[in-house]
Amino acid sequence: MKHLVPSDEHIMLQDSARQFLQANCPVSAFRHLRDNSVSPCYSRQHWKQICDLGWSGIILPEEYGGLDFGYVGLGAIMKESGRTLLASPLFASVCLGAQYLLRAGSDTQKRDILPSVVCGDTCLALAIEEGPHHDPLATLFTAQPDGGNFVLNGTKTFVVDGQCANYFLVVARTSGKPGDAKGLSVFLVDIDRKGVERKQLHLLDARDYSSVDFDNVIVGEDDLVGSMNDAWRYLEPTLDAARILLAAEMLGGICECFERTVEYLRDREQFGVKIGSFQALRHRAAHLFAEIELCKAVVDTGLAALDGAPGSISVLASLAKARLNDIALLATNEAVQMHGGIGVTDELDIGLFLKRARVAIQILGDSSYHRDRFGRLNGY
Amino acid sequence: MKHLVPSDEHIMLQDSARQFLQANCPVSAFRHLRDNSVSPCYSRQHWKQICDLGWSGIILPEEYGGLDFGYVGLGAIMKESGRTLLASPLFASVCLGAQYLLRAGSDTQKRDILPSVVCGDTCLALAIEEGPHHDPLATLFTAQPDGGNFVLNGTKTFVVDGQCANYFLVVARTSGKPGDAKGLSVFLVDIDRKGVERKQLHLLDARDYSSVDFDNVIVGEDDLVGSMNDAWRYLEPTLDAARILLAAEMLGGICECFERTVEYLRDREQFGVKIGSFQALRHRAAHLFAEIELCKAVVDTGLAALDGAPGSISVLASLAKARLNDIALLATNEAVQMHGGIGVTDELDIGLFLKRARVAIQILGDSSYHRDRFGRLNGY
Amino acid sequence: MEPLDAFRREVVAWLEDNCPRSQREPAGPEELYQGGSKGCFSSQDARTWFERMREKGWTVPDWPREYGGGGLSPGQAKVLKTEMKRLGCRPPLATGQGIAMLGPALFEYGSEQQKREHLPRIARGEVRWCQGYSEPGAGSDLANIQCRAEDKGDHFVVNGTKLWTSNADRADWIFCLVRTDPKAAKQAGISFLLIDMRQNGIEVRPIELISGESDFCQVFFENARAEKHNLLGDLNRGWTVAKRLLQHERTLMSQLSEIAVGPKFSPGEVARRYLSLENGVLTNSGLREQLVRYEMDAMALALSNQKAFEESGQGRLDPNSTSFFKYYATELDKRRGELKLALMGTQGLGWSGPGFDSDELMEPRTWAFSKALTIAGGSSEVQLNVIAKRVLDLPE
Amino acid sequence: MEPLDAFRREVVAWLEDNCPRSQREPAGPEELYQGGSKGCFSSQDARTWFERMREKGWTVPDWPREYGGGGLSPGQAKVLKTEMKRLGCRPPLATGQGIAMLGPALFEYGSEQQKREHLPRIARGEVRWCQGYSEPGAGSDLANIQCRAEDKGDHFVVNGTKLWTSNADRADWIFCLVRTDPKAAKQAGISFLLIDMRQNGIEVRPIELISGESDFCQVFFENARAEKHNLLGDLNRGWTVAKRLLQHERTLMSQLSEIAVGPKFSPGEVARRYLSLENGVLTNSGLREQLVRYEMDAMALALSNQKAFEESGQGRLDPNSTSFFKYYATELDKRRGELKLALMGTQGLGWSGPGFDSDELMEPRTWAFSKALTIAGGSSEVQLNVIAKRVLDLPE
């Protein structure tokens, strides 16, 4: 069985995604949003078009308005969106939010929310981080049972697409102590609920992030998504799938950066010759090519596994995130250095990829987190 | 005060050491010992000459027959000995053994032993390792008090120059548990003492190593070197000084390997040009040059600190050992690769440096040990 | 899917019936049957196992039956390989230069007569081959061929010398690049010649490596004779065949760690054996970091190999990929060697004698030999040059 | 030793008496006085401190007194530097292109008249200089100078453009490489010219960098005028001066991390702030490993700098060392930037606004700016070329 060879349908999807994005949301579109301080930094019009194309429902069953086209399909979109630095709620609302709801939500919750996510009216954002380093099991944020309700208290930071969200999926501790997987619960919280206060964070990559304070926010039992104390059972696979999808986006960025750099090496002259003829640069570019080939295999294997191909998803997710983190660092730094002076100017797009990479590296675990996890999963 | 600029006397010493070693103990002399399975692998005649030159007493006071010429002097000898792969008891008997006795021994012990070490009649060997990784505080080897005596039990492995030694300095636990610095004691044990059984180990670098069993070996209180339970006070600085001296030897090997490789790049032709004209190789050689320059500074600063210049000796020792380990690995691997096919033949000397480096890396702590220690010493 | 599943069941049943118990243990480096007139079996079981597999043509499962192969499709061949690996069956005949290199070249460039003459003898392990490419002083500059073959009507007379010829001292025949037109420019004027080594004009001298082995040899030709019909491909066009063979060699070398009979324990197992754990985590965090980095890269490479296999559709790599796999795999082999030595500490330094078990003694030699892998078969630098030129299309 | 000890006591006493308390706090990037007609003081204390130091000639302590300097020996100058650093005294006048680059060139190549005209104005912070070397399209190929100066008898007329000119928008004068002989081969035919920027023929356009700053500019010359007596060195022999200056630039850049007013916290402090410790050891072993590796290399580089200083005997580096220090130090600066971002996690990603304190906001910009350091002043690749050629004597 060929899990790693895309089907004709997937190739068509990726081609049309590329065409749409290159035509409608090229890097210059992102630059425009950034320079004009559009807040939150995405184009509602493009997002609407994207939802109309069905990308927001790729992994969702048809009963919720989705295409049921699997993770390989969504991964293809993510790769292309990485190439043009598309800023949209796709990752937060679909890859994280809708995915979690699909795994953990009740029928009612799914029927109520998912179709609205697919058409783009609702944006979800996962409020999970509490400190500067990804560590979901360390959650301290409390949800105190109070009659049939829960009272939420605490601060969530680095909430991806927090400003454009209508709902937060909030990870809270309902029992146990930091470090325990048992005792985590997830609540769906309307951003307009009393006591919710969000603050926009302006990061390096000029996208949409929030820090959100929850001050005695009261939610009902109906707002619990997945069983109480047992959210980790759904949350961990959700995070792993999202890590692989984010790795796909990072792969797109890496490939775009690399191709632009190789192009530059072919064209640019110095000392009377093309700089691509300098052997030291040739070898570095060739090495980078090899590393990127491995990235492709890792991402594609992870996506295929999410669609049912064999392999441990946890291991593949940590492998993908760690490798893509590391090669994103290498590829963007090499791109700047090989471009020389122009590479450090804001005028060139390479700097945008450089900055996006540093933020993506921190989303859902840096390499030290995933190497540690990979070691534990392998028994050392 | 210029601590890092060698005095005229030190320059003269290093020059004469180089002349002596190149003339009498070049790499071919070591190869001869190896190929003829001389056991233990050193030339008694060369060792006698070396002792006559006074190198065995460089760091010892004149009252014990030494030259009192300091660690910078001994370091100069070690560098040169690394260049010709000199196999001799200099490291074990002088850099480790005599040094420890000088720090910790009683007047009687020093008077009895040191002059004999200086003239080469006595060889000392430190029996410290018990497992595959350097970890002196983990010592389990027991010395049980019994009346006025001690009964030693346990096995010591990787005893450097164990076969040519007349005495072992044995690190034993007299109290406390593995991990404690308190509770270590050191005993001077004649190799002919009943219950001592040594076994030659044949390692990669074809030098002299032993594994030694101690089966109810009885030693007296007089054989205790340094105070009971408190040997760490002398042992730690002894180990640090020896690490810096070993780093000096490794530096010599690295420099020799590098210079031979650069020479090869200058001479060897391929595709009709000198291979040293290939930019990728040029850049790698230049990078290695920079790393080696840093090695020189680190070793020289360490040696100067041992002679009283400012600086934390523990920090400098861990820095020196870790850096020299890492660059020895890099330099020898690059030397093989840049020599190409001939580099992997036993005929070329580079392989001998490659193998010596792997053993030296394990003596008194690999890089993971010293990086961990450097972090602790710096409060992280 | 269906037919392969049936085949798989059949294969497993057959292997379980026919592979002797002793041939399902990991083999030491000297235990594999290499074939040829000097090959010998390490045991009666090894002979039995070889003979049974030879009868099925499964020494070369994907070669056509008429040339001594098993006639399996790429998919079937992969199933066989996978199941043999799973059951721990040793290769009945080691994958030498004949199977991996000359065989594919014969299929592509050989005449029917050449195929009939040479392929079955490879498949049946009767003839062991070696490869004569490199020459002294040439190094990576492979087209710099000085060894010359003079046309004497029905045969050539060969004079010159070849270096880094693997196992030439145990081979029966050598396939060789020779210069047949001394006036032509480098690549032109080279021919690809098959030469019987069992003649007086050929002398073989083994070269000792830093690993202590002597797998490589220097081969001297002094008026050696080669029949005209043993020219593979056209006269003066041998470079075409050679280039193609280089790709096979790269592929072979990129799979060394998979097919080689190296040390028994993986780096992870070695780590657990020589380092302490606390709550299932190695306490030496520096070495653990190095281990995880290696294991991750090795896994990524394996996935990349799998992807290339699936994409190729026929079990054969895209020619442009071979350089990248050869480069990455052999560099990784070197890293694994250094890693295992680091993990084993002083127990990884044994060269001989007491104090080390046989598994431990294998590690430093494998480590030393790994240094040759990034040089032989086109050095890492050559592979990077090829990637830069052919794949990235960078100007020269 | 003795005399320096006395000097040290004297210096410490004077600094303690004369350096205002506020000038002994770490300075933000905008707080240092840069001199020149556009320079301004961040506070009255900054002005006082500058004026007191200027009176002693300690803005350039090792320059001779007759040119506005302090007349200190290299040893004394180092004592002053060390003690200022120990007491936390800010530099009274930032080390710009005038002090670090043009000054040494004037001492080596300038006429007495040139020295008297320019040096004291640099020392007193009256004139701020910038350097016009690179041009669009030239990159690392510095000798590829298109900007031309035509001889008009008593003056030159300059036309062309310079790129990557640091702080040109805040400078008064520019020292420039210009082509004075268009027919000569590359390096020949270049002259070294000092040009007053306060004239109509010169336009300056800042370039925005990825760090958000615009330290670099493009400078356009359109019939700009430069007096003949402002030629430094001989006509058409400017490359000699330029090469020497490049060494000064490399030295300067290799000490950036020492002299720059970068983020306040060291990587070790950052680690302790953003990561958890257990028994004094960071629990994140992967980041700890990265931190220790960086700190060890940084310490080794510092020791190497110290060694070079002691060996030089006069506080000046061996010309061949400058490339190695420039290469290693700026690569290390980049590593520090990546390391600190990694240690700080999401708190190291802030670009502006709430959620981050001012120290945190400085980190990503310093990180971004560090990318320029291995490109400006001769890229790392250029430095490696120089080492290979000049130090290792490898054939080209």
Side-chain angles (χ1 to χ4, degrees), chain B residues 157-177:
Chain B
T157 183
F158 198 51
V159 179
V160 180
D161 284 321
Q163 296 302 104
C164 71
N166 313 102
Y167 291 96
F168 295 123
L169 283 163
V170 184
V171 181
R173 186 162 288 288
T174 38
S175 72
K177 56 178 193 314

Short mmCIF file of all heavy atoms in Angstrom, two decimals, chain B residues 157-177:
data_model
loop_
_atom_site.label_atom_id
_atom_site.label_comp_id
_atom_site.label_asym_id
_atom_site.label_seq_id
_atom_site.Cartn_x
_atom_site.Cartn_y
_atom_site.Cartn_z
N THR B 157 38.84 -0.44 36.78
CA THR B 157 39.04 -0.69 35.36
C THR B 157 39.67 0.54 34.72
O THR B 157 39.78 1.59 35.36
CB THR B 157 37.69 -1.04 34.68
OG1 THR B 157 37.94 -1.34 33.31
CG2 THR B 157 36.72 0.12 34.77
N PHE B 158 40.08 0.40 33.47
CA PHE B 158 40.62 1.52 32.71
C PHE B 158 41.72 2.24 33.51
O PHE B 158 41.74 3.46 33.58
CB PHE B 158 39.48 2.49 32.37
CG PHE B 158 39.79 3.45 31.25
CD1 PHE B 158 40.30 3.01 30.04
CD2 PHE B 158 39.53 4.81 31.41
CE1 PHE B 158 40.56 3.91 29.01
CE2 PHE B 158 39.79 5.72 30.39
CZ PHE B 158 40.31 5.27 29.19
N VAL B 159 42.60 1.44 34.14
CA VAL B 159 43.72 2.02 34.88
C VAL B 159 44.81 2.37 33.87
O VAL B 159 45.41 1.47 33.26
CB VAL B 159 44.26 1.03 35.94
CG1 VAL B 159 45.43 1.64 36.69
CG2 VAL B 159 43.14 0.63 36.89
N VAL B 160 45.03 3.67 33.69
CA VAL B 160 46.00 4.11 32.68
C VAL B 160 47.40 3.75 33.13
O VAL B 160 47.79 4.02 34.27
CB VAL B 160 45.87 5.63 32.45
CG1 VAL B 160 46.87 6.09 31.39
CG2 VAL B 160 44.46 6.00 32.05
N ASP B 161 48.17 3.11 32.26
CA ASP B 161 49.53 2.66 32.55
C ASP B 161 49.57 1.70 33.72
O ASP B 161 50.54 1.67 34.50
CB ASP B 161 50.47 3.86 32.78
CG ASP B 161 50.83 4.51 31.46
OD1 ASP B 161 51.04 3.78 30.47
OD2 ASP B 161 50.86 5.75 31.39
N GLY B 162 48.53 0.91 33.81
CA GLY B 162 48.45 -0.06 34.91
C GLY B 162 49.49 -1.17 34.80
O GLY B 162 49.93 -1.71 35.81
N GLN B 163 49.89 -1.52 33.58
CA GLN B 163 50.81 -2.65 33.44
C GLN B 163 52.25 -2.28 33.79
O GLN B 163 53.02 -3.13 34.20
CB GLN B 163 50.77 -3.18 32.00
CG GLN B 163 49.44 -3.77 31.58
CD GLN B 163 48.98 -4.92 32.46
OE1 GLN B 163 48.09 -4.75 33.29
NE2 GLN B 163 49.60 -6.08 32.32
N CYS B 164 52.61 -1.01 33.59
CA CYS B 164 53.99 -0.66 33.91
C CYS B 164 54.12 -0.08 35.32
O CYS B 164 55.20 0.28 35.75
CB CYS B 164 54.55 0.32 32.87
SG CYS B 164 53.84 1.96 32.97
N ALA B 165 53.00 0.00 36.04
CA ALA B 165 53.03 0.60 37.37
C ALA B 165 53.66 -0.33 38.40
O ALA B 165 53.54 -1.56 38.30
CB ALA B 165 51.60 0.95 37.80
N ASN B 166 54.34 0.27 39.39
CA ASN B 166 54.78 -0.47 40.57
C ASN B 166 53.81 -0.29 41.72
O ASN B 166 53.71 -1.13 42.60
CB ASN B 166 56.14 0.03 41.05
CG ASN B 166 57.13 0.18 39.92
OD1 ASN B 166 57.38 1.29 39.46
ND2 ASN B 166 57.64 -0.94 39.45
N TYR B 167 53.14 0.85 41.68
CA TYR B 167 52.17 1.14 42.74
C TYR B 167 50.87 1.65 42.12
O TYR B 167 50.89 2.41 41.15
CB TYR B 167 52.67 2.25 43.68
CG TYR B 167 53.82 1.85 44.54
CD1 TYR B 167 55.11 2.14 44.14
CD2 TYR B 167 53.61 1.21 45.76
CE1 TYR B 167 56.20 1.79 44.93
CE2 TYR B 167 54.70 0.85 46.56
CZ TYR B 167 55.98 1.14 46.14
OH TYR B 167 57.04 0.79 46.94
N PHE B 168 49.76 1.23 42.72
CA PHE B 168 48.48 1.85 42.39
C PHE B 168 48.10 2.84 43.48
O PHE B 168 48.30 2.57 44.66
CB PHE B 168 47.37 0.79 42.31
CG PHE B 168 47.57 -0.20 41.21
CD1 PHE B 168 47.63 -1.56 41.49
CD2 PHE B 168 47.69 0.23 39.90
CE1 PHE B 168 47.81 -2.47 40.46
CE2 PHE B 168 47.87 -0.70 38.88
CZ PHE B 168 47.94 -2.03 39.16
N LEU B 169 47.56 3.97 43.05
CA LEU B 169 46.87 4.86 43.99
C LEU B 169 45.39 4.52 43.83
O LEU B 169 44.80 4.81 42.79
CB LEU B 169 47.14 6.32 43.64
CG LEU B 169 48.52 6.85 44.07
CD1 LEU B 169 48.84 8.13 43.33
CD2 LEU B 169 48.55 7.08 45.58
N VAL B 170 44.83 3.87 44.84
CA VAL B 170 43.49 3.32 44.71
C VAL B 170 42.47 4.21 45.42
O VAL B 170 42.62 4.50 46.61
CB VAL B 170 43.42 1.90 45.29
CG1 VAL B 170 42.04 1.30 45.07
CG2 VAL B 170 44.49 1.02 44.69
N VAL B 171 41.47 4.64 44.67
CA VAL B 171 40.41 5.46 45.26
C VAL B 171 39.35 4.51 45.82
O VAL B 171 38.79 3.70 45.09
CB VAL B 171 39.79 6.40 44.22
CG1 VAL B 171 38.70 7.25 44.86
CG2 VAL B 171 40.85 7.25 43.56
N ALA B 172 39.10 4.64 47.13
CA ALA B 172 38.15 3.73 47.78
C ALA B 172 37.16 4.51 48.62
O ALA B 172 37.40 5.67 48.98
CB ALA B 172 38.91 2.75 48.67
N ARG B 173 36.06 3.86 48.90
CA ARG B 173 35.06 4.50 49.77
C ARG B 173 35.22 3.95 51.17
O ARG B 173 35.13 2.73 51.39
CB ARG B 173 33.66 4.23 49.23
CG ARG B 173 32.57 4.98 49.99
CD ARG B 173 31.25 5.08 49.23
NE ARG B 173 31.30 6.02 48.11
CZ ARG B 173 31.34 7.34 48.24
NH1 ARG B 173 31.34 7.90 49.43
NH2 ARG B 173 31.38 8.11 47.17
N THR B 174 35.48 4.84 52.11
CA THR B 174 35.60 4.42 53.50
C THR B 174 34.36 4.81 54.29
O THR B 174 34.18 4.38 55.44
CB THR B 174 36.86 5.04 54.15
OG1 THR B 174 37.03 6.37 53.67
CG2 THR B 174 38.09 4.23 53.79
N SER B 175 33.50 5.65 53.69
CA SER B 175 32.20 5.95 54.31
C SER B 175 31.32 6.64 53.27
O SER B 175 31.76 6.92 52.15
CB SER B 175 32.37 6.85 55.54
OG SER B 175 32.71 8.16 55.13
N GLY B 176 30.08 6.93 53.66
CA GLY B 176 29.17 7.62 52.75
C GLY B 176 28.65 6.68 51.67
O GLY B 176 28.91 5.48 51.68
N LYS B 177 27.87 7.28 50.75
CA LYS B 177 27.28 6.45 49.70
C LYS B 177 27.66 7.02 48.33
O LYS B 177 28.11 8.19 48.24
CB LYS B 177 25.76 6.42 49.87
CG LYS B 177 25.12 7.80 49.89
CD LYS B 177 23.61 7.71 50.01
CE LYS B 177 22.98 9.07 49.70
NZ LYS B 177 23.63 10.24 50.36
#
